[in-house]
């Protein structure tokens, strides 16, 4: 499949959120990545339902909502109502993961599970067939602009092998420290959805930065 690009609005200018979402609308991006943090599961608080709903109001592309929160079951319906098209919950935050995944699907959303850097892919063996997507965290969740962790390539390889056995249509998303310096290596390792925050929004040419992730074979000089 052609890979997908999901710019993360965590790195957007919140005082100009509509402008930044409109930039994504007219870009080569496929989704809008929306990072929700609760100050409990991760040591940072980002935003909640009103910002997700405001994003939905302007976005012409699906909202890929990444829930970095404890006990996400409490809020799945509220995030669906705010405009989520897909929801990704953390393996480490869900003691009844199978139930949580079924609940996301019953809401009509694409269902994903995220793994922190220390969580092995093998733990997904008995749930992977039920998933639409797995998100491999390539930084510790909580903040944008962190350094990419190299062990991610090995985890992407592990996940690709497991998905070939148990769920060949699986979306494999990588999130954290992604930019044009590692895009080709990530795609080769098996990623097919790339999240990018700072590498897009700190660029003087944001549309060009997104194009370079979508079409790395013809990298533009930005
Ligand atoms: C981190 C978030 C990421 C973040 C990525 O906890 O899940 O989506 O926005 O930011 P960059 O691309 O700047 O590493
Ligand atoms: Zn994210």
């Amino acid at each position: 499949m052609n890979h997908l690009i999901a710019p993360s609005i965590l790195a957007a200018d919140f005082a100009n959120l509509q402008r930044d979402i409109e930039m994504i609308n007219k870009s080569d991006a496929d989704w809008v990545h929306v990072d929700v943090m609760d100050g409990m599961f991760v040591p940072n608080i980002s935003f909640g339902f009103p910002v997700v709903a405001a994003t939905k109001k302007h976005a012409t592309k699906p909202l890929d909502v990444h829930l970095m929160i404890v006990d996400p079951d409490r809020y799945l319906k509220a995030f669906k109502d705010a405009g989520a098209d897909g929801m990704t919950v953390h393996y480490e935050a869900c003691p009844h993961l199978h139930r949580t995944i079924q609940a996301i699907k019953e809401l009509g959303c694409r269902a994903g599970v995220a793994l922190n850097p220390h969580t092995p892919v093998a733990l997904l063996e008995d749930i992977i067939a039920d998933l639409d997507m797995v998100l491999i965290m390539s930084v510790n969740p909580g903040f944008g602009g962190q350094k990419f962790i190299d062990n991610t390539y090995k985890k992407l390889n592990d996940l690709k092998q497991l998905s070939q056995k148990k769920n060949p249509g699986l979306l494999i998303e990588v999130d954290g420290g992604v930019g044009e310096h590692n895009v080709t290596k990530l795609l080769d390792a098996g990623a097919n959805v790339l999240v990018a925050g700072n590498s897009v929004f700190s660029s003087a040419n944001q549309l060009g930065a997104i194009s370079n992730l979508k079409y790395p074979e013809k990298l533009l000089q930005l």
Side-chain angles (χ1 to χ4, degrees):
M1 71 173 259
N2 284 335
H3 66 278
L4 306 178
I5 306 299
S8 167
I9 58 164
L10 188 65
D13 175 355
F14 291 146
N16 288 287
L17 190 55
Q18 179 176 351
R19 179 199 67 193
D20 286 359
I21 293 165
E22 284 168 357
M23 182 281 294
I24 296 174
N25 289 346
K26 65 176 188 222
S27 76
D28 290 319
D30 301 277
W31 295 347
V32 181
H33 187 79
V34 179
D35 287 307
V36 177
M37 303 177 183
D38 66 353
M40 294 293 289
F41 180 67
V42 290
N44 194 13
I45 298 176
S46 58
F47 46 73
F49 312 115
V51 174
V52 178
T55 302
K56 185 68 176 180
K57 190 166 150 198
H58 298 291
T60 56
K61 300 179 181 185
L63 299 194
D64 173 39
V65 177
H66 178 189
L67 295 174
M68 286 162 273
I69 65 176
V70 295
D71 197 3
D73 304 62
R74 292 172 297 165
Y75 297 117
L76 297 175
K77 168 98 171 50
F79 280 112
K80 164 69 182 175
D81 291 345
D85 295 281
M87 284 188 261
T88 299
V89 294
H90 268 262
Y91 179 88
E92 303 83 4
C94 297
H96 305 286
L97 186 58
H98 183 272
R99 180 185 293 150
T100 307
I101 291 303
Q102 302 315 318
I104 294 173
K105 288 183 164 178
E106 276 162 26
L107 290 167
C109 288
R110 179 177 42 67
V113 170
L115 298 183
N116 277 343
H118 72 278
T119 306
V121 164
L123 291 171
L124 297 177
E125 187 170 348
D126 291 310
I127 188 76
I128 196 165
D130 295 291
L131 303 179
D132 298 307
M133 185 167 85
V134 173
L135 183 163
I136 300 285
M137 284 305 309
S138 38
V139 297
N140 285 293
F143 302 93
Q146 301 181 81
K147 189 175 175 299
F148 181 88
I149 296 171
D150 269 334
N151 188 53
T152 303
Y153 296 116
K154 181 249 175 203
K155 291 180 73 174
L156 288 169
N157 278 312
D158 291 349
L159 181 56
K160 193 174 175 184
Q161 281 183 29
L162 188 61
S163 83
Q164 277 166 352
K165 267 195 280 168
K166 301 209 165 193
N167 183 350
L170 185 76
L171 292 166
I172 298 179
E173 186 171 51
V174 60
D175 184 6
V178 174
E180 59 182 63
H181 62 287
N182 54 14
V183 53
T184 305
K185 217 172 151 187
L186 290 168
L187 297 173
D188 289 346
N192 52 30
V193 185
L194 305 178
V195 176
N198 275 265
S199 69
V200 167
F201 285 99
S202 65
S203 171
N205 180 349
Q206 298 176 345
L207 290 170
I210 293 172
S211 298
N212 278 351
L213 295 174
K214 184 72 180 177
Y215 303 107
E217 64 284 2
K218 43 184 182 191
L219 274 187
L220 304 166
Q221 287 305 321
L222 301 182

